[in-house]
Amino acid sequence: MPVNQDVIITCALTGAGDTVGRSPHVPVTPAQIAASAVEAAGAGAAVVHIHVREPETGAPSRDPRLYREVVERIRETGTDVVINLTAGMGGDLVIDPEAPLRQLPGTDLVGGLDRLPHVEDLLPDICTLDCGSLNFGDGSNLYISTPDMLRTGAKRIQELGVRPELEIFDTGQLWFAKQLLAEGLLDDPTVFQLCMGIPWGAPADPGVLQAMVTMLPQGAQWASFALGRMQMPWVAQSILLGGHVRVGLEDNLYLGKGVKATNGQLVERAVRITESLGSRVATPDEAREKLGLRPRA
């Protein structure tokens, strides 16, 4: 597999995890998230991946008004960056292990179409589609995305003309994503994000990543990331296998042991790794062409 010579860097700005109290750099308010997007773009990110949080508490949110404010603030700056909005919120199910039909606090579970109002409103360049259910970490937290939900969501995203980024947490999910393609619910080029090291999905193992890359459909564009201290080694690993990369505070809070990072600093580190491998960092317009997106308005 050839080394990728033109690398798209995505920065995942804030995520939905319980990270706000662990680093002062995790953006919370729409103004902070938009400013972090501009910082990441200035450092070399062609794509910013956006979650929103409740401004008062930092809790994860799927409020379309918060997404609109973030996107409008980014666009008002004139920053050239590809907008990638998560559509994965609304899949959380926390069950009582002694009474599994009872939902516990932390559950936020809605149907496939109810995960898309902000996508319908804002028509971003990209939105995510989480391609299967998963035991999400220890305990009794499940991420739910059934085949029926995925078919419904994929069809609506296709109708909207938004490019889905297919979030793949294990090999069975990649198998099903290829089924969506076979059923005509995805358009070429397909765009995959191979998500490694999330307990209990695919481990951050180079052999597993290579196996997943060999499963991708012909002509697919793909990126991969891994969590925590594996984030930067995975930049190199992805490029060496021919892929693009993702960094950001959603997945890792540190530049080094005990050194808290900003999104801009993580992108700068990814740029250095990319260039040290003899590759170059793709511009937003080059990313749009590779990913089959609309030209910038």
Side-chain angles (χ1 to χ4, degrees), residues 157-218:
I157 293 166
Q158 188 179 53
E159 290 170 349
L160 293 170
V162 174
R163 179 71 64 198
E165 180 184 83
L166 306 165
E167 307 295 298
I168 304 297
F169 294 87
D170 215 339
T171 51
Q173 297 185 7
L174 179 48
W175 182 12
F176 186 74
K178 292 168 70 174
Q179 179 63 27
L180 291 177
L181 179 62
E183 293 175 12
L185 293 170
L186 302 173
D187 297 322
D188 288 325
T190 47
V191 178
F192 288 82
Q193 183 69 255
L194 307 179
C195 312
M196 316 295 288
I198 293 90
W200 295 106
D205 179 292
V208 174
L209 178 62
Q210 184 160 12
M212 293 172 79
V213 171
T214 63
M215 290 177 63
L216 291 169
Q218 187 72 27

